[in-house]
Amino acid sequence: MSGPGQRVLALLRQMIAEGSLAAGERIAEIPTAERLGVSRMPVRMAFRVLEQEGLLIRHGARGYAVRQLGEEELAGAVEVRGVLEGLAARQAAERGVSAEVRAVLLECLERGDRLFEKGYLCEEDLASYHDLNLRFHQTLVEASGNPAIAAALARNDHLPFASVSALVVDREHLEREYRRFNFAHLQHHAAVDAVLAGQGARAEGIMREHANATLRYARLFGTEEGDSVGRTVIQRGSQKPG
């Protein structure tokens, strides 16, 4: 797919993930192209890819509708991510990491420490956390030395909220979100400690729990399920919560 096509595809994925294109909403080539300010061709190609990814379903001869994704399906996608990232952590621990990888992981921890040491989060911190979190997860996967893990994660990441790059943030309750992200950062510390110590089983368990904790944070930190006030999705392009 061309550069413009990739940009349209990434944008439509993001719009589905954040709810700008709601579940069940009907979409068609011409109005979507006009909305995005592009020609019909990249939209047509993007629709076909999104249908293959399970995010769109056919509706009529030419149209599509945004697929309704159930809670169990989303939970399954996050669980798969946990299994894959757990495997990556175990293999990284067992094979050992290079000095360069070690430096990157420690840098991510140090950046997170500085971010959370003040005891609260502000709007400006959200982008910083996204970047360091993304780099941490990508580095850990690359450290496994197993490209099949990255390939499997890339396929799984197409489901909304299964990707590390999609973080749901309740901006009305940043104090609670501070506790959630700080908890995730502490899990990063534990995972790096296990990887550098060569403790494969421990590293795997931590990363599996790390992914699954994103499903349970509402219960862990008292968030009311279904409360979407002030909640948005932070997602950058097609890069890869956690």
Side-chain angles (χ1 to χ4, degrees):
M1 185 178 291
S2 66
Q6 288 290 352
R7 287 193 293 272
V8 170
L9 176 60
L11 181 56
L12 289 174
R13 279 202 198 110
Q14 179 177 353
M15 293 170 71
I16 293 171
E18 69 187 8
S20 297
L21 293 172
E25 182 175 345
R26 301 177 186 179
I27 57 176
E29 287 180 18
I30 295 177
T32 302
E34 293 175 348
R35 180 178 182 179
L36 301 181
V38 298
S39 66
R40 294 175 59 183
M41 183 56 69
V43 172
R44 181 181 305 165
M45 296 175 65
F47 280 0
R48 291 173 181 171
V49 173
L50 292 171
E51 182 185 17
Q52 293 171 357
E53 294 174 355
L55 296 179
L56 295 181
I57 56 175
R58 287 277 183 177
H59 191 279
R62 297 184 178 181
Y64 291 85
V66 178
R67 181 183 172 194
Q68 176 73 49
L69 294 170
E71 182 179 347
E72 290 186 0
E73 184 176 9
L74 295 177
V78 173
E79 185 174 7
V80 168
R81 178 165 70 84
V83 170
L84 292 170
E85 291 193 334
L87 175 61
R90 177 171 65 81
Q91 292 187 342
E94 291 175 348
R95 76 195 297 262
V97 299
S98 66
E100 181 180 1
V101 167
R102 182 180 186 276
V104 172
L105 292 174
L106 293 179
E107 179 190 357
C108 290
L109 297 183
E110 291 171 2
R111 287 178 58 192
D113 290 344
R114 292 194 299 271
L115 188 68
F116 293 109
E117 66 182 0
K118 63 181 183 294
Y120 63 90
L121 286 177
C122 58
E123 287 282 342
E124 293 74 17
D125 295 328
L126 299 177
S128 296
Y129 179 77
H130 171 277
D131 291 343
L132 74 87
N133 183 61
L134 178 63
R135 191 179 189 199
F136 174 86
H137 283 262
Q138 289 180 333
T139 300
L140 198 58
V141 170
E142 292 169 3
S144 71
N146 186 345
I149 296 176
L153 279 169
R155 290 191 294 272
N156 193 61
D157 283 348
H158 294 323
L159 287 175
F161 312 122
S163 169
V164 171
S165 67
L167 296 178
V168 181
V169 180
D170 187 347
R171 283 180 159 80
E172 296 296 318
H173 301 92
L174 285 181
E175 180 180 353
R176 185 170 59 209
E177 296 294 67
Y178 168 84
R179 296 197 298 271
R180 176 163 72 104
F181 292 137
N182 188 45
F183 177 72
H185 180 62
L186 293 175
Q187 288 182 313
H188 286 183
H189 267 282
V192 171
D193 180 70
V195 168
L196 297 184
Q199 299 170 340
R202 177 171 168 244
E204 180 174 18
I206 291 169
M207 290 306 295
R208 292 186 67 161
E209 171 62 23
H210 183 55
N212 289 322
T214 65
L215 295 173
R216 302 196 311 276
Y217 92 89
R219 177 165 53 84
L220 288 171
F221 299 122
T223 304
E224 295 182 4
E225 293 185 4
D227 179 10
S228 60
V229 177
R231 189 171 297 169
T232 59
V233 172
I234 301 175
Q235 186 169 19
R236 297 190 172 182
S238 58
Q239 295 174 319
K240 298 178 128 5

